Amino acid sequence: PEAGEALGSMGNLLEGKPVIERTGQVNQSERAEAAIDGDIATKWCDISDAKPKYITVDLQKDTRIKGWSVMHAGLESLDYIAEEYSLQVRADGEADWKTVDTVYENTELETDRLLPEPVTARYVRLSLSKPDQSEGNTARVYEFVVY
């Protein structure tokens, strides 16, 4: 598919939902909400010292999740593609986070993954343990999609 085609074709369960946690953001124009706004021209950028970097979204009700995708900032620089990151879910605000899928050694601009088994969750988190290709600590995500 063309860049961005897969992202829009499924619909994003996160779009319009509140980001309730983030490790950081550079400024208002690169806030965490930009990663779930459906606009591949905007991005979330986090230069904080936090490790791992993450954003947490409240789906506002239990929701069935079949897959997820991430569009990285590789068009800016290949180094800006996250190398290792996970999709985490939890049923309620008190539960422990459960990692349902992890991408290792990624070099792709866009990753789109079906889960082995669908999961039901109220909260989802994108956690970036290696936010770029080098040993840097800046996260740059254009789109985070859950479907």
Side-chain angles (χ1 to χ4, degrees):
E2 296 294 314
E5 189 176 283
L7 291 174
S9 62
M10 299 287 184
N12 188 357
L13 298 171
L14 305 177
E15 204 168 324
K17 301 295 190 285
V19 173
I20 57 169
E21 295 176 317
R22 72 204 69 194
T23 46
Q25 61 193 30
V26 174
N27 54 41
Q28 271 303 103
S29 66
E30 294 185 329
R31 65 194 184 282
E33 288 78 4
I36 61 168
D37 64 3
D39 182 352
I40 60 170
T42 63
K43 73 176 178 202
W44 166 53
C45 185
D46 178 357
I47 58 172
S48 73
D49 291 334
K51 288 183 183 187
K53 309 274 192 224
Y54 62 81
I55 57 174
T56 305
V57 181
D58 181 354
L59 292 167
Q60 300 178 309
K61 65 183 194 302
D62 286 350
T63 305
R64 184 177 158 97
I65 298 166
K66 296 180 296 216
W68 63 302
S69 65
V70 178
M71 184 173 190
H72 307 276
L75 294 178
E76 292 179 47
S77 166
L78 293 179
D79 187 55
Y80 295 175
I81 295 172
E83 183 180 334
E84 186 177 302
Y85 48 98
S86 302
L87 176 66
Q88 299 177 317
V89 298
R90 66 182 183 190
D92 62 62
E94 304 303 310
D96 289 333
W97 286 103
K98 178 183 177 199
T99 299
V100 293
D101 194 19
T102 300
V103 177
Y104 299 99
E105 298 178 4
N106 177 57
T107 57
E108 300 294 316
L109 168 65
E110 192 176 314
T111 50
D112 190 0
R113 296 170 60 101
L114 279 173
L115 298 176
E117 293 289 321
V119 296
T120 299
R122 165 143 183 200
Y123 300 96
V124 296
R125 171 179 279 180
L126 173 63
S127 177
L128 299 105
S129 46
K130 293 184 179 175
D132 63 23
Q133 294 290 305
S134 59
E135 294 302 311
N137 194 38
T138 299
R140 298 170 184 87
V141 174
Y142 276 83
E143 284 300 305
F144 170 39
V145 174
V146 169
Y147 55 86

